[in-house]
Structures are given as C-alpha cells and as structure tokens.
Amino acid sequence: MTTDANQNLWRFIRLDQYNRPSETSRETMSKGISGLWLRLGWGSKAKESVFAEKDEKELSQLPQELVDKAAPDPDWSAPLAAMTAVLDSWLDAKVPGSSNQIFVGPPYHGTSEILTAWAQARDWRLVSAPAPEMILTGGQEWLTQLEEDNEPLVLPHLEHCYLRHYDGLTLLRRLLDHIISQSRRWLVGCDSWAWAYLSKALKVDTVFPTPFILEAFDQERLKIWFQQLAAASGEDTFVFRQLDSGKYVLPPAAGDEASCDQSQGAAAESSGFLKNVAAYSRGIPGIAREVWRRSFGFVNTTKEDGEEIDTEAPAAGDDNSAYPIWVKPWSQLKLPGFPGQRASIGLLMVLHTLLIHGGLWSRILPELLPLSPMEILEYLYLLEASGLVESDQGFWRVTPAGYPVVRQMLQSEGYLTDAI
C-alpha cells in the first residue's frame, strides 16, 4: 500500500474530535454478557450455514500457524509515519508552553508502541515507569535520574507512574512540576482511563495541551488494515468469506474480482461482519484484531477413509497456497462474558483498578483495594477463567476481547470510565 493510503488509514486527531464507530444493532454490544440477547430469543437467528449438509466434525478451527499468518502482530511503521507528521509540526513550533506533548489512547490502541518506535527512530531517550513500590515511597531516586541532563524525553506510560493510594500520587505531582518548570521537551503517552482519573484527581489536563489520539477504525479502515495484515507474510493468499452466507467479509484482492466465478452470486456481495467488529471494538485496532482472529474457522473435507482433501479456494486461481478462511457469523462468535448477569462489587473494583492503572502486578493490588489478598486472587482467577483478564508473569490486565463488555459493565454500574 502506498504511503498516502497508509496516512489515510493511520491518522492522529485531537482528542476532542474523536468519534468511535456507531453501534449497528443491539446484538453487537450484547456480546459477552452471557449471551443475554440470544438466550432470551431477542437476537437474530443465524442463517443456515452454506456447509449445513456437512458433518459438524468437518468444521474445525483454523490452525494457529495460519491464524498468525492471516492476522499477525501489527507493523508500527505505518502509524509511525502518521505520528511523525504530527510531531514534526510540534517540533517546529515556537509557541511558548509547547515544550511538551501528550498522546492518549484506550487499552490496545497501540499508542505506547508507536511512541516507543518514534523515540527509537529519532534517538530520543525512553523513560521507563518506576516500580510500584518506588511510587509508594515518593520515587525521588527515579525523579533524580531525569534531571541528569536536558535532553528530550519520551515517557510512553504515564499511567504506570501513579497509584490510586494515599501515597500513590506524590511522585506524579513532582513529575508534573518538573515538566512544567523545565524547558526540555517531553513526549508522553497515557492510557485513556488513567487520563480520565488523573484529570479529576490532579487536573493533569491543564498541564498538557489538548492530547492527540489515533482516529477510530471504522469498517472501511478495518477492511484495509486486515487486508494489509493478511498480505504481510507475502507467502500465502487468504480469502475471507462468511460461513453462513458465503459472502466476502474482505473483498478479494485487486484484480481477483474478475477471475471469480460469476455464478457465485452471494459470494460477490460483501458481508456486514466488519461493521459489527468496528462497533464492538469501539474502533480500537488491537481489540478489533483480536475479535477478527477469534472469528476464523475453516472447513476440512475428508474422504470416508479419513484422508484429507484440500479445500479449493473460493476465488478462481492457480495458487495452491490460497487458503479459504470461513468467518463465523457474528451471532455465533464466542466472546468473553461475566459469569453471571450482575458482577459483585469486589469483582468490579478489581477490574476498575486494573483499567485505571493500565494493568497492575498482583502483589500491589492489596495495597489499593479494601480486599484481602486471597479475595483478590479468587476474583482474578474467576475473571481469568471467564476470559476477561490475563496475566503475564503476575502482571494482570483486562483482555482485548473482554475489554468492551468490562467497560460496558463498569459504566452501567456508575464507575468512572474513559471518554473513548
């Protein structure tokens, strides 16, 4: 894809201009809350699969190797160019008080990764957040090492520089004073949940100019991005069609349309699946990609003796490496949900605490919550079993697939949420 097309796909805007994709149906956001709509019979009935005549055993999950090729980890070089366009204007500005700039984004938005990539490309010093224990003791040693010189700094995770605790805001107050009083350049990234909390607790929004944010990914942006991801390996060709209708979820690559069998009828039309993905993910790229990967399935046709027969690519072609990926209908997609219709107060407190800090180490949670360590672990394991949180060597955070329903639940229960 050309550079111009990439810039249209990845674009940073002012936070006050942000608009997320609209919900397409009540079924879209009902995903995750124990399938409430469908259990009560209010959801739309799934159409009969185009493979209904086949044994269900023949429909199996796409091998992980192909999932990783069809939707690999993102390459941040394209959004890096979009961020550079914004920061070049900032660096050229001679406006007083413009020595710092902040980017805000929700979980799995890619903000911190893009900032890190930009700092490495420009050879700016990256600042890692202090350990939680250091935050609770004021973090003077961490602050002192920032004063060693006057070089520009990049802090990708402002959300990891405080704790919602009596002693947990002192370090950040000192850091903000340092940013205000110094003439050095500061480039900062902050999770949108921490931004909402800190704007109330410390008026952090008065320290920085209006934040920039990556524009939401609507259906059209997702279509372009998913096509880019599928083509990234350069080895295999993938064709994505919806299992119940045969319609294309992603249109064929340029030039393939003409080679498609004209008798395919419905297959030549586009599915509305990506519109649901955009709405459910709230336009957040990382969440949309996770939902996209979960939707993959494929059909194994087998002879009576069990010998596997290669599945013919739906688009006519001469490449045996063209893989037809059959995408599950939205109504049949399994996404995480709460164990019951209503979550306990303790469970919601754990989730809210994780979100406003951008994830936390389990060892520090008892310092922030009016719960015993055993209660906290029980909630974490329950949430983990439900697919709503995950742990990386003791660092817990809400999962990308579970984030939309967690946010919805917290908002419905009156908790402070981000504005994105």
Side-chain angles (χ1 to χ4, degrees):
M1 175 168 283
T2 65
T3 300
D4 289 342
N6 275 327
Q7 288 179 344
N8 291 330
L9 177 62
W10 302 95
R11 193 162 74 93
F12 286 91
I13 58 175
R14 291 164 57 99
L15 181 60
D16 54 12
Q17 298 173 336
Y18 187 85
N19 290 301
R20 62 182 175 85
S22 59
E23 296 178 20
T24 58
S25 67
R26 58 186 178 178
E27 181 187 23
T28 302
M29 291 309 296
S30 71
K31 281 289 184 186
I33 311 181
S34 304
L36 178 60
W37 296 113
L38 296 179
R39 286 211 312 276
L40 296 180
W42 297 343
S44 58
K45 294 183 179 179
K47 296 180 181 178
E48 185 178 6
S49 169
V50 293
F51 297 106
E53 71 277 7
K54 295 183 179 292
D55 193 302
E56 289 185 0
K57 294 180 180 178
E58 297 178 11
L59 181 63
S60 59
Q61 191 66 32
L62 196 71
Q64 190 62 44
E65 178 184 359
L66 289 184
V67 172
D68 292 338
K69 285 186 176 181
D73 291 336
D75 174 8
W76 297 114
S77 60
L80 175 60
M83 178 175 282
T84 299
V86 171
L87 292 179
D88 282 348
S89 298
W90 169 60
L91 292 172
D92 292 340
K94 305 299 182 182
V95 181
S98 64
S99 60
N100 56 74
Q101 182 61 63
I102 191 166
F103 286 77
V104 169
Y108 303 103
H109 207 236
T111 303
S112 59
E113 291 89 344
I114 303 169
L115 278 171
T116 299
W118 188 91
Q120 293 170 341
R122 290 299 183 96
D123 200 27
W124 280 33
R125 179 183 168 192
L126 274 167
V127 179
S128 299
E133 292 79 6
M134 187 177 292
I135 294 175
L136 292 177
T137 58
Q140 188 56 51
E141 180 181 348
W142 182 80
L143 290 167
T144 299
Q145 55 93 20
L146 300 179
E147 301 172 356
E148 295 174 354
D149 50 50
N150 202 40
E151 64 179 325
L153 300 177
V154 179
L155 177 62
H157 292 285
L158 186 67
E159 68 273 12
H160 293 164
C161 296
Y162 85 100
L163 293 169
R164 189 175 59 181
H165 182 276
Y166 180 79
D167 297 317
L169 295 174
T170 301
L171 181 147
L172 187 52
R173 287 193 182 97
R174 293 173 177 173
L175 175 62
L176 294 177
D177 287 342
H178 175 83
I179 291 175
I180 294 172
S181 61
Q182 301 295 320
S183 60
R184 78 193 313 171
R185 294 277 191 178
W186 276 88
L187 179 55
V188 179
C190 185
D191 185 275
S192 56
W193 286 72
W195 181 257
Y197 174 77
L198 294 173
S199 293
K200 288 184 174 294
L202 294 182
K203 304 297 181 184
V204 70
D205 52 328
T206 65
V207 175
F208 296 95
T210 301
F212 280 94
I213 185 172
L214 184 67
E215 195 166 27
F217 270 40
D218 58 11
Q219 178 184 5
E220 289 304 310
R221 275 190 165 89
L222 288 180
K223 179 180 71 175
I224 296 171
W225 189 43
F226 290 161
Q227 286 173 329
Q228 288 181 341
L229 291 176
S233 71
E235 300 174 1
D236 303 300
T237 301
F238 298 95
V239 180
F240 302 86
R241 287 168 58 188
Q242 191 158 308
L243 182 63
D244 60 342
S245 65
K247 292 181 179 180
Y248 286 110
V249 179
L250 290 183
D256 284 350
E257 296 94 333
S259 64
C260 291
D261 188 340
Q262 297 300 318
S263 67
Q264 286 181 346
E269 303 175 17
S270 294
S271 161
F273 183 84
L274 292 184
K275 200 168 186 180
N276 282 317
V277 175
Y280 180 81
S281 67
R282 306 180 68 85
I284 304 171
I287 295 175
R289 173 179 167 271
E290 175 63 22
V291 174
W292 178 234
R293 287 166 61 93
R294 283 171 171 257
S295 73
F296 294 168
F298 83 118
V299 174
N300 270 342
T301 55
T302 57
K303 296 180 180 179
E304 292 184 359
D305 61 3
E307 181 182 351
E308 183 176 329
I309 302 175
D310 290 337
T311 304
E312 184 180 355
D318 54 4
D319 189 351
N320 289 331
S321 67
Y323 293 97
I325 296 183
W326 298 96
V327 176
K328 302 167 189 174
W330 186 257
S331 60
Q332 297 177 20
L333 190 60
K334 294 181 180 179
L335 292 169
F338 282 91
Q341 295 304 314
R342 291 183 62 86
S344 68
I345 294 177
L347 185 143
L348 291 176
M349 287 195 308
V350 169
L351 287 170
H352 192 250
T353 302
L354 291 178
L355 281 172
I356 66 171
H357 293 94
L360 277 171
W361 298 96
S362 55
R363 67 177 187 273
I364 207 70
L365 280 168
E367 299 286 342
L368 312 182
L369 292 167
L371 302 168
S372 70
M374 187 58 66
E375 285 178 303
I376 292 171
L377 284 176
E378 288 177 356
Y379 284 132
L380 288 173
Y381 293 147
L382 177 62
L383 291 166
E384 183 180 38
S386 300
L388 296 175
V389 302
E390 59 188 2
S391 171
D392 181 8
Q393 297 181 343
F395 185 84
W396 292 84
R397 65 182 306 184
V398 174
T399 63
Y403 173 77
V405 68
V406 169
R407 189 192 186 285
Q408 185 183 36
M409 179 67 81
L410 289 172
Q411 186 176 42
S412 69
E413 293 295 327
Y415 285 79
L416 173 69
T417 64
D418 69 350
I420 300 171

